[in-house]
Amino acid sequence: MRYYLAFALYIIYTKRVYFGNIKRQSEIKKQNSMKPEKKIPSPFVSLLPIFFLVGMLFATIHTFGSDALSGGSQVSLLTTTSLCIFIGMAFYHIPWKDYEQAITNNIAGVATAIIVLLIIGALSGAWMISGVVPTLIYYGIQIIHPDFFLTSTCVICALVSVMTGSSWTTIATIGIALLGIGKAQGFEEGWIAGAIISGAYFGDKISPLSDTTILASSVTDTPLFSHIRYMMITTVPSLLITLVIFTVMGLTCETSSTEQIAEFTTALSAKFNITLWLLAVPVATGILIARKVPAIITLFLSTLLAGVFALVFQPDLLLEISGEEKIFKGIMTTFYANTNLQTDNGMLTELIATRGMTGMMNTIWLILCAMCFGGAMTAGGMLGSITSFFVRFMKSTASMVASTVGSGLFLNLATADQYISIILTGKMFSETYRAKGYESRLLSRTTEDAVTVTSPLIPWNTCGMTQATILGVPTMTYLPYCFFNLISPLMSIFIAAIGYKIVRKR
C-alpha cells in the first residue's frame, strides 16, 4: 500500500512540475513577444552624424587652418559622438552600457598603435639628431641631374619619407627646397609639386614609422610588417609607372644649373658629422624588419642604436640642444621634446627640427576621439547600416575592393581627415571581410590605397589644405600630376580583379 501511495504522489508532483514549466515558458514567450524589436537606423539616419561631422570639420578647418588637429578636430569628433549617442538612446532605445562597451573595446584595440606612435616620436628625433637622416639626404640629393630632376625629386622624397615616416615633414622641408630648385630649372610648379607629393606619400604609405601605416594595420588587426609587405604588391607598380612618366617629362624639358643643391649639401655637412657609418642604423633596422621582429621591439632597438650614434658622432649638437654642458639632458630631450637647431640655411633649419614623443600627442588624442566616434557608430548600428549599403555591390573580390575604395574616398571627402577615414573604413568593413573569408591584410592594404594617398588631392581635407599652403601651389594645380596618388586606388582594384596574391578562406 505504501508503494502505491508513493507512486501516486510522484505522479502528482511530476504533473505539477511539467505543467508549471509549460506555464512559465508560455509566460516568458508572451513577455518576449511584448518587447519591441531592436530597430536598426536606416542608411539615411546613419549618415546624419557623418554629415554633421563634415560641417563641424569644415568650420574647424576654416577657422583654425593647419592647426585644426591641435584640438578643434578632436572636439568635433566628441561632439558628433554625443549626437550619435543621443539619436541611439532617444529614438532606438539603445542602452548607455552598449556605447560604453563599444568605445572601451575600440580604444583597447589601438593601445598597441599608441605605444608604437610614442616610440616613433622618439625614433624620429634620434634619427635626425644622430645624423642618420641628414646623411641619407646628403648622399641622396647629390644624385639629382637636371634631365632627371622630376624622377630624382620623387625618389628623394620617397626615401626621406620612408626614413621619417611623415609626408608632411618631407614636403615642408626637403619638398620646399626641391620646389625652389625645380622652379630655377624651369619646371612648372604643378609638375614639381606632383613629384614631391607622389614621393612623399609613397613613403608615408609604406614606412613602418608612419602613423597612417600603423593606424591602418592596427584598426584591421593586421601585423604591421605583414601589412607593409602586402602593400608592396600595389604600391611598387604604382611608383614605377609614376617614375616612368616623370622620366619622360624630365627628358623633354630644358633645364639649368643645380647651384642650390650644392648650397644645401654644404649646409648639411657644416652642421652634422656626415659619415657612412651612420647608415648602419637603417641597415640594422632593415635586418630586424626582414627577420620579422615585432614592430615595437624593432623600433625601440633602432631608437636606442640611433641614440648611441648621436653620442658618438654628434656630441656638440646634443650640448646645443641641452643649452647646458649636460649631454645626458641633450639626448633625453632628443627622445621626447621639440628640438630646433639653427643653421645658415632656413630650409635646412626646418628640415632638422624634430618633435619627439610630445609631437605625437595630437595624433594620439585624435585617434582616441575618433575611436569614441567609431564606437558610438558601431553600438548604434549606424556603421552596420552604412556597410549594408556598400555590401550590396560586393559580388566578387574586385567589387569588394572597389566598394572599399569608394567608401574610403567618400569618407575622405566627407570627414576631411585621413585618420578618421582610415579608422571608419577599417571598422566598417572588418566584419564583412572576415565573414566572406578574406584576409585582414587585404582590407588594410585597400584602406591605405584608397585613403592615405588620396587625402592630399582634396582641397578641404587637412592634408590637401596643408600641402597646398606649404608649397604655395593650389591643390587643383598639382592634382593632375600626383600620378602615384591617382594610380594607387586604380591599381588596388586591378590587382583584385586579376586575383594576384589574394587568399580567400572557404
Side-chain angles (χ1 to χ4, degrees):
M1 187 66 180
R2 286 179 300 176
Y3 295 108
Y4 289 112
L5 181 61
F7 182 73
L9 292 173
Y10 173 75
I11 293 296
I12 294 171
Y13 172 76
T14 303
K15 285 183 177 180
R16 286 182 176 178
V17 171
Y18 175 75
F19 288 110
N21 287 339
I22 291 177
K23 185 178 181 180
R24 281 195 295 272
Q25 290 175 6
S26 64
E27 290 177 353
I28 291 172
K29 289 181 179 179
K30 185 177 180 180
Q31 291 175 0
N32 289 337
S33 64
M34 294 175 65
K35 290 181 178 179
E37 293 184 3
K38 185 177 180 179
K39 297 180 180 179
I40 298 177
S42 66
F44 174 76
V45 174
S46 301
L47 286 171
L48 287 178
I50 298 291
F51 293 139
F52 179 79
L53 180 60
V54 171
M56 289 287 293
L57 290 174
F58 177 81
T60 300
I61 294 171
H62 179 73
T63 304
F64 295 98
S66 58
D67 292 331
L69 295 179
S70 299
S73 295
Q74 289 86 333
V75 174
S76 298
L77 277 166
L78 292 179
T79 304
T80 310
T81 301
S82 66
L83 175 63
C84 290
I85 296 173
F86 171 75
I87 293 174
M89 295 182 69
F91 299 101
Y92 297 94
H93 308 290
I94 299 171
W96 164 250
K97 286 186 178 180
D98 289 2
Y99 288 105
E100 188 175 21
Q101 184 64 40
I103 291 172
T104 301
N105 291 340
N106 272 12
I107 293 176
V110 296
T112 300
I114 290 174
I115 295 172
V116 171
L117 282 172
L118 288 173
I119 297 176
I120 285 175
L123 182 143
S124 62
W127 274 39
M128 184 63 73
I129 302 305
S130 65
V132 172
V133 173
T135 298
L136 290 168
I137 295 174
Y138 179 83
Y139 290 111
I141 205 170
Q142 294 185 58
I143 69 173
I144 291 182
H145 186 278
D147 292 340
F148 299 97
F149 171 77
L150 292 175
T151 305
S152 300
T153 294
C154 187
V155 171
I156 290 171
C157 288
L159 291 174
V160 174
S161 188
V162 168
M163 293 298 105
T164 62
S166 172
S167 57
W168 286 27
T169 300
T170 302
I171 293 170
T173 53
I174 194 67
I176 294 177
L178 291 168
L179 183 66
I181 296 169
K183 286 183 177 181
Q185 293 182 346
F187 289 97
E188 295 181 6
E189 60 181 13
W191 279 96
I192 306 169
I196 293 169
I197 291 173
S198 292
Y201 275 85
F202 168 82
D204 197 323
K205 183 182 175 186
I206 68 165
S207 174
L209 311 181
S210 170
D211 47 6
T212 56
T213 305
I214 296 166
L215 185 59
S217 63
S218 177
V219 168
T220 57
D221 295 323
T222 305
L224 177 60
F225 295 128
S226 175
H227 166 62
I228 292 173
R229 286 192 295 270
Y230 200 58
M231 276 200 298
M232 292 295 185
I233 297 173
T234 59
T235 304
V236 172
S238 299
L239 182 65
L240 291 177
I241 296 173
T242 299
L243 293 177
V244 169
I245 296 173
F246 285 137
T247 300
V248 172
M249 179 58 190
L251 291 173
T252 59
C253 290
E254 295 183 3
T255 57
S256 55
S257 66
T258 57
E259 295 178 359
Q260 294 186 42
I261 298 174
E263 180 184 343
F264 197 82
T265 53
T266 300
L268 267 175
S269 59
K271 191 66 179 180
F272 291 90
N273 180 13
I274 303 296
T275 170
L276 290 174
W277 286 107
L278 290 167
L279 299 182
V281 177
V283 169
T285 305
I287 293 173
L288 292 174
I289 293 173
R291 295 182 65 85
K292 300 180 181 180
V293 177
I296 290 180
I297 297 176
T298 297
L299 298 174
F300 183 75
L301 291 177
S302 181
T303 302
L304 289 182
L305 183 59
V308 172
F309 274 56
L311 291 170
V312 174
F313 293 102
Q314 319 294 343
D316 294 338
L317 294 183
L318 295 178
L319 293 175
E320 182 180 341
I321 291 170
S322 69
E324 307 171 17
E325 294 298 321
K326 297 180 180 179
I327 199 167
F328 177 75
K329 181 180 178 181
I331 191 64
M332 292 296 287
T333 302
T334 298
F335 288 141
Y336 75 84
N338 297 331
T339 64
N340 293 284
L341 298 173
Q342 298 300 315
T343 69
D344 295 332
N345 187 297
M347 294 178 184
L348 179 59
T349 300
E350 292 183 9
L351 173 63
I352 63 178
T354 67
R355 299 181 299 165
M357 297 172 75
T358 58
M360 294 295 174
M361 296 312 298
N362 282 341
T363 301
I364 292 173
W365 183 16
L366 180 72
I367 290 173
L368 292 176
C369 294
M371 296 313 289
C372 291
F373 175 59
M377 291 283 286
T378 301
M382 293 179 176
L383 274 184
S385 180
I386 297 173
T387 304
S388 65
F389 174 79
F390 287 99
V391 168
R392 298 174 188 174
F393 306 99
M394 296 179 178
K395 306 299 182 182
S396 63
T397 302
S399 60
M400 167 82 77
V401 171
S403 296
T404 308
V405 169
S407 175
L409 288 171
F410 166 75
L411 289 171
N412 234 349
L413 289 163
T415 63
D417 185 84
Q418 63 175 350
Y419 298 104
I420 301 171
S421 301
I422 288 172
I423 292 170
L424 291 181
T425 302
K427 288 296 181 182
M428 282 171 58
F429 291 98
S430 58
E431 289 299 326
T432 303
Y433 272 69
R434 189 178 297 112
K436 291 182 176 290
Y438 292 100
E439 296 178 312
S440 63
R441 62 179 184 169
L442 177 61
L443 174 58
S444 63
R445 182 183 75 185
T446 307
T447 299
E448 287 235 68
D449 286 339
V451 177
T452 301
V453 297
T454 60
S455 57
L457 307 181
I458 301 168
W460 57 87
N461 190 285
T462 52
C463 293
M465 180 190 60
T466 300
Q467 311 317 347
T469 302
I470 291 173
L471 295 174
V473 181
T475 304
M476 300 308 295
T477 299
Y478 67 65
L479 188 153
Y481 308 106
C482 295
F483 298 109
F484 174 77
N485 307 67
L486 295 170
I487 293 170
S488 289
L490 300 177
M491 184 62 68
S492 187
I493 298 173
F494 173 74
I495 295 296
I498 65 176
Y500 182 70
K501 293 286 186 179
I502 294 179
V503 179
R504 185 175 180 183
K505 300 176 183 178
R506 299 290 182 181

